[in-house]
PDB file of all heavy atoms in Angstrom:
ATOM      1  N   PRO A  75      -7.212  24.416  -4.735  1.00 89.00           N
ATOM      2  CA  PRO A  75      -8.047  25.597  -5.009  1.00 89.00           C
ATOM      3  C   PRO A  75      -7.236  26.788  -5.536  1.00 89.00           C
ATOM      4  O   PRO A  75      -7.708  27.528  -6.402  1.00 89.00           O
ATOM      5  CB  PRO A  75      -8.660  25.920  -3.636  1.00 89.00           C
ATOM      6  CG  PRO A  75      -8.629  24.634  -2.892  1.00 89.00           C
ATOM      7  CD  PRO A  75      -7.411  23.913  -3.375  1.00 89.00           C
ATOM      8  N   TRP A  76      -6.015  26.931  -5.032  1.00 90.00           N
ATOM      9  CA  TRP A  76      -5.139  28.016  -5.501  1.00 90.00           C
ATOM     10  C   TRP A  76      -4.803  27.820  -6.980  1.00 90.00           C
ATOM     11  O   TRP A  76      -4.891  28.755  -7.782  1.00 90.00           O
ATOM     12  CB  TRP A  76      -3.872  28.043  -4.636  1.00 90.00           C
ATOM     13  CG  TRP A  76      -2.819  28.986  -5.088  1.00 90.00           C
ATOM     14  CD1 TRP A  76      -2.891  30.344  -5.175  1.00 90.00           C
ATOM     15  CD2 TRP A  76      -1.500  28.650  -5.538  1.00 90.00           C
ATOM     16  NE1 TRP A  76      -1.709  30.875  -5.640  1.00 90.00           N
ATOM     17  CE2 TRP A  76      -0.831  29.847  -5.867  1.00 90.00           C
ATOM     18  CE3 TRP A  76      -0.809  27.443  -5.672  1.00 90.00           C
ATOM     19  CZ2 TRP A  76       0.474  29.867  -6.332  1.00 90.00           C
ATOM     20  CZ3 TRP A  76       0.493  27.474  -6.134  1.00 90.00           C
ATOM     21  CH2 TRP A  76       1.113  28.678  -6.456  1.00 90.00           C
ATOM     22  N   VAL A  77      -4.437  26.602  -7.357  1.00 92.00           N
ATOM     23  CA  VAL A  77      -4.107  26.310  -8.764  1.00 92.00           C
ATOM     24  C   VAL A  77      -5.341  26.494  -9.642  1.00 92.00           C
ATOM     25  O   VAL A  77      -5.250  27.036 -10.747  1.00 92.00           O
ATOM     26  CB  VAL A  77      -3.525  24.881  -8.909  1.00 92.00           C
ATOM     27  CG1 VAL A  77      -3.311  24.530 -10.374  1.00 92.00           C
ATOM     28  CG2 VAL A  77      -2.211  24.751  -8.145  1.00 92.00           C
ATOM     29  N   MET A  78      -6.505  26.075  -9.149  1.00 91.00           N
ATOM     30  CA  MET A  78      -7.745  26.234  -9.922  1.00 91.00           C
ATOM     31  C   MET A  78      -8.056  27.716 -10.151  1.00 91.00           C
ATOM     32  O   MET A  78      -8.543  28.100 -11.211  1.00 91.00           O
ATOM     33  CB  MET A  78      -8.918  25.554  -9.204  1.00 91.00           C
ATOM     34  CG  MET A  78      -8.760  24.057  -9.070  1.00 91.00           C
ATOM     35  SD  MET A  78      -8.898  23.173 -10.611  1.00 91.00           S
ATOM     36  CE  MET A  78     -10.619  22.780 -10.589  1.00 91.00           C
ATOM     37  N   ARG A  79      -7.774  28.562  -9.162  1.00 90.00           N
ATOM     38  CA  ARG A  79      -7.999  30.008  -9.303  1.00 90.00           C
ATOM     39  C   ARG A  79      -7.070  30.566 -10.388  1.00 90.00           C
ATOM     40  O   ARG A  79      -7.486  31.378 -11.212  1.00 90.00           O
ATOM     41  CB  ARG A  79      -7.777  30.698  -7.946  1.00 90.00           C
ATOM     42  CG  ARG A  79      -7.770  32.212  -7.956  1.00 90.00           C
ATOM     43  CD  ARG A  79      -8.973  32.871  -8.581  1.00 90.00           C
ATOM     44  NE  ARG A  79     -10.230  32.501  -7.989  1.00 90.00           N
ATOM     45  CZ  ARG A  79     -11.404  32.771  -8.526  1.00 90.00           C
ATOM     46  NH1 ARG A  79     -11.501  33.429  -9.659  1.00 90.00           N
ATOM     47  NH2 ARG A  79     -12.524  32.393  -7.944  1.00 90.00           N
ATOM     48  N   ILE A  80      -5.817  30.117 -10.398  1.00 91.00           N
ATOM     49  CA  ILE A  80      -4.872  30.555 -11.440  1.00 91.00           C
ATOM     50  C   ILE A  80      -5.404  30.139 -12.812  1.00 91.00           C
ATOM     51  O   ILE A  80      -5.433  30.937 -13.749  1.00 91.00           O
ATOM     52  CB  ILE A  80      -3.462  29.972 -11.191  1.00 91.00           C
ATOM     53  CG1 ILE A  80      -2.847  30.586  -9.929  1.00 91.00           C
ATOM     54  CG2 ILE A  80      -2.555  30.203 -12.401  1.00 91.00           C
ATOM     55  CD1 ILE A  80      -1.557  29.929  -9.476  1.00 91.00           C
ATOM     56  N   ALA A  81      -5.832  28.888 -12.925  1.00 93.00           N
ATOM     57  CA  ALA A  81      -6.378  28.393 -14.204  1.00 93.00           C
ATOM     58  C   ALA A  81      -7.598  29.212 -14.620  1.00 93.00           C
ATOM     59  O   ALA A  81      -7.724  29.599 -15.791  1.00 93.00           O
ATOM     60  CB  ALA A  81      -6.734  26.912 -14.087  1.00 93.00           C
ATOM     61  N   HIS A  82      -8.473  29.483 -13.669  1.00 91.00           N
ATOM     62  CA  HIS A  82      -9.675  30.276 -13.949  1.00 91.00           C
ATOM     63  C   HIS A  82      -9.297  31.654 -14.495  1.00 91.00           C
ATOM     64  O   HIS A  82      -9.863  32.123 -15.493  1.00 91.00           O
ATOM     65  CB  HIS A  82     -10.507  30.407 -12.669  1.00 91.00           C
ATOM     66  CG  HIS A  82     -11.735  31.234 -12.839  1.00 91.00           C
ATOM     67  ND1 HIS A  82     -11.783  32.556 -12.498  1.00 91.00           N
ATOM     68  CD2 HIS A  82     -12.960  30.919 -13.332  1.00 91.00           C
ATOM     69  CE1 HIS A  82     -12.988  33.037 -12.775  1.00 91.00           C
ATOM     70  NE2 HIS A  82     -13.717  32.066 -13.277  1.00 91.00           N
ATOM     71  N   ASN A  83      -8.332  32.306 -13.859  1.00 89.00           N
ATOM     72  CA  ASN A  83      -7.892  33.630 -14.318  1.00 89.00           C
ATOM     73  C   ASN A  83      -7.284  33.564 -15.718  1.00 89.00           C
ATOM     74  O   ASN A  83      -7.497  34.453 -16.547  1.00 89.00           O
ATOM     75  CB  ASN A  83      -6.909  34.245 -13.329  1.00 89.00           C
ATOM     76  CG  ASN A  83      -7.572  34.631 -12.021  1.00 89.00           C
ATOM     77  OD1 ASN A  83      -8.786  34.775 -11.947  1.00 89.00           O
ATOM     78  ND2 ASN A  83      -6.780  34.777 -10.983  1.00 89.00           N
ATOM     79  N   LEU A  84      -6.533  32.502 -16.008  1.00 92.00           N
ATOM     80  CA  LEU A  84      -5.941  32.351 -17.343  1.00 92.00           C
ATOM     81  C   LEU A  84      -7.006  32.079 -18.401  1.00 92.00           C
ATOM     82  O   LEU A  84      -6.875  32.503 -19.550  1.00 92.00           O
ATOM     83  CB  LEU A  84      -4.879  31.244 -17.335  1.00 92.00           C
ATOM     84  CG  LEU A  84      -3.592  31.598 -16.596  1.00 92.00           C
ATOM     85  CD1 LEU A  84      -2.699  30.375 -16.443  1.00 92.00           C
ATOM     86  CD2 LEU A  84      -2.838  32.721 -17.301  1.00 92.00           C
ATOM     87  N   ILE A  85      -8.066  31.381 -18.025  1.00 89.00           N
ATOM     88  CA  ILE A  85      -9.183  31.156 -18.952  1.00 89.00           C
ATOM     89  C   ILE A  85      -9.820  32.502 -19.303  1.00 89.00           C
ATOM     90  O   ILE A  85     -10.077  32.796 -20.472  1.00 89.00           O
ATOM     91  CB  ILE A  85     -10.226  30.197 -18.342  1.00 89.00           C
ATOM     92  CG1 ILE A  85      -9.651  28.781 -18.242  1.00 89.00           C
ATOM     93  CG2 ILE A  85     -11.512  30.197 -19.158  1.00 89.00           C
ATOM     94  CD1 ILE A  85     -10.452  27.845 -17.342  1.00 89.00           C
ATOM     95  N   ILE A  86     -10.058  33.326 -18.294  1.00 86.00           N
ATOM     96  CA  ILE A  86     -10.623  34.659 -18.534  1.00 86.00           C
ATOM     97  C   ILE A  86      -9.692  35.470 -19.428  1.00 86.00           C
ATOM     98  O   ILE A  86     -10.133  36.096 -20.401  1.00 86.00           O
ATOM     99  CB  ILE A  86     -10.880  35.386 -17.199  1.00 86.00           C
ATOM    100  CG1 ILE A  86     -12.027  34.690 -16.458  1.00 86.00           C
ATOM    101  CG2 ILE A  86     -11.202  36.862 -17.423  1.00 86.00           C
ATOM    102  CD1 ILE A  86     -12.235  35.157 -15.036  1.00 86.00           C
ATOM    103  N   ASP A  87      -8.381  35.424 -19.144  1.00 86.00           N
ATOM    104  CA  ASP A  87      -7.408  36.136 -19.989  1.00 86.00           C
ATOM    105  C   ASP A  87      -7.469  35.643 -21.428  1.00 86.00           C
ATOM    106  O   ASP A  87      -7.387  36.427 -22.371  1.00 86.00           O
ATOM    107  CB  ASP A  87      -5.983  35.950 -19.451  1.00 86.00           C
ATOM    108  CG  ASP A  87      -5.741  36.664 -18.138  1.00 86.00           C
ATOM    109  OD1 ASP A  87      -6.582  37.507 -17.747  1.00 86.00           O
ATOM    110  OD2 ASP A  87      -4.708  36.375 -17.497  1.00 86.00           O
ATOM    111  N   HIS A  88      -7.611  34.318 -21.597  1.00 87.00           N
ATOM    112  CA  HIS A  88      -7.700  33.739 -22.950  1.00 87.00           C
ATOM    113  C   HIS A  88      -8.897  34.316 -23.709  1.00 87.00           C
ATOM    114  O   HIS A  88      -8.774  34.726 -24.861  1.00 87.00           O
ATOM    115  CB  HIS A  88      -7.816  32.221 -22.864  1.00 87.00           C
ATOM    116  CG  HIS A  88      -8.313  31.591 -24.120  1.00 87.00           C
ATOM    117  ND1 HIS A  88      -7.508  31.451 -25.231  1.00 87.00           N
ATOM    118  CD2 HIS A  88      -9.538  31.112 -24.473  1.00 87.00           C
ATOM    119  CE1 HIS A  88      -8.222  30.895 -26.207  1.00 87.00           C
ATOM    120  NE2 HIS A  88      -9.443  30.686 -25.768  1.00 87.00           N
ATOM    121  N   PHE A  89     -10.058  34.349 -23.054  1.00 84.00           N
ATOM    122  CA  PHE A  89     -11.250  34.860 -23.728  1.00 84.00           C
ATOM    123  C   PHE A  89     -11.127  36.360 -24.014  1.00 84.00           C
ATOM    124  O   PHE A  89     -11.552  36.824 -25.066  1.00 84.00           O
ATOM    125  CB  PHE A  89     -12.514  34.569 -22.918  1.00 84.00           C
ATOM    126  CG  PHE A  89     -12.949  33.141 -23.017  1.00 84.00           C
ATOM    127  CD1 PHE A  89     -13.058  32.355 -21.882  1.00 84.00           C
ATOM    128  CD2 PHE A  89     -13.255  32.570 -24.240  1.00 84.00           C
ATOM    129  CE1 PHE A  89     -13.463  31.027 -21.971  1.00 84.00           C
ATOM    130  CE2 PHE A  89     -13.655  31.259 -24.346  1.00 84.00           C
ATOM    131  CZ  PHE A  89     -13.762  30.472 -23.203  1.00 84.00           C
ATOM    132  N   ARG A  90     -10.531  37.090 -23.093  1.00 81.00           N
ATOM    133  CA  ARG A  90     -10.332  38.530 -23.342  1.00 81.00           C
ATOM    134  C   ARG A  90      -9.401  38.738 -24.532  1.00 81.00           C
ATOM    135  O   ARG A  90      -9.662  39.566 -25.395  1.00 81.00           O
ATOM    136  CB  ARG A  90      -9.712  39.187 -22.110  1.00 81.00           C
ATOM    137  CG  ARG A  90     -10.702  39.490 -21.033  1.00 81.00           C
ATOM    138  CD  ARG A  90     -10.035  40.290 -19.922  1.00 81.00           C
ATOM    139  NE  ARG A  90     -10.936  40.418 -18.801  1.00 81.00           N
ATOM    140  CZ  ARG A  90     -10.590  40.299 -17.542  1.00 81.00           C
ATOM    141  NH1 ARG A  90      -9.336  40.043 -17.231  1.00 81.00           N
ATOM    142  NH2 ARG A  90     -11.467  40.426 -16.590  1.00 81.00           N
ATOM    143  N   LYS A  91      -8.305  37.994 -24.537  1.00 81.00           N
ATOM    144  CA  LYS A  91      -7.311  38.137 -25.609  1.00 81.00           C
ATOM    145  C   LYS A  91      -7.914  37.790 -26.966  1.00 81.00           C
ATOM    146  O   LYS A  91      -7.617  38.428 -27.971  1.00 81.00           O
ATOM    147  CB  LYS A  91      -6.109  37.229 -25.311  1.00 81.00           C
ATOM    148  CG  LYS A  91      -4.942  37.418 -26.265  1.00 81.00           C
ATOM    149  CD  LYS A  91      -3.755  36.602 -25.810  1.00 81.00           C
ATOM    150  CE  LYS A  91      -3.826  35.227 -26.399  1.00 81.00           C
ATOM    151  NZ  LYS A  91      -2.703  34.368 -26.100  1.00 81.00           N
ATOM    152  N   ASN A  92      -8.751  36.793 -26.987  1.00 78.00           N
ATOM    153  CA  ASN A  92      -9.354  36.358 -28.251  1.00 78.00           C
ATOM    154  C   ASN A  92     -10.696  37.015 -28.520  1.00 78.00           C
ATOM    155  O   ASN A  92     -11.387  36.659 -29.456  1.00 78.00           O
ATOM    156  CB  ASN A  92      -9.480  34.837 -28.266  1.00 78.00           C
ATOM    157  CG  ASN A  92      -8.130  34.184 -28.319  1.00 78.00           C
ATOM    158  OD1 ASN A  92      -7.390  34.366 -29.276  1.00 78.00           O
ATOM    159  ND2 ASN A  92      -7.774  33.452 -27.271  1.00 78.00           N
TER     160      ASN A  92
END
Side-chain angles (χ1 to χ4, degrees):
W76 173 63
V77 174
M78 296 290 267
R79 171 54 57 192
I80 292 171
H82 178 263
N83 291 341
L84 289 171
I85 291 165
I86 291 170
D87 291 347
H88 163 75
F89 284 121
R90 280 187 188 138
K91 187 174 89 177
N92 292 298

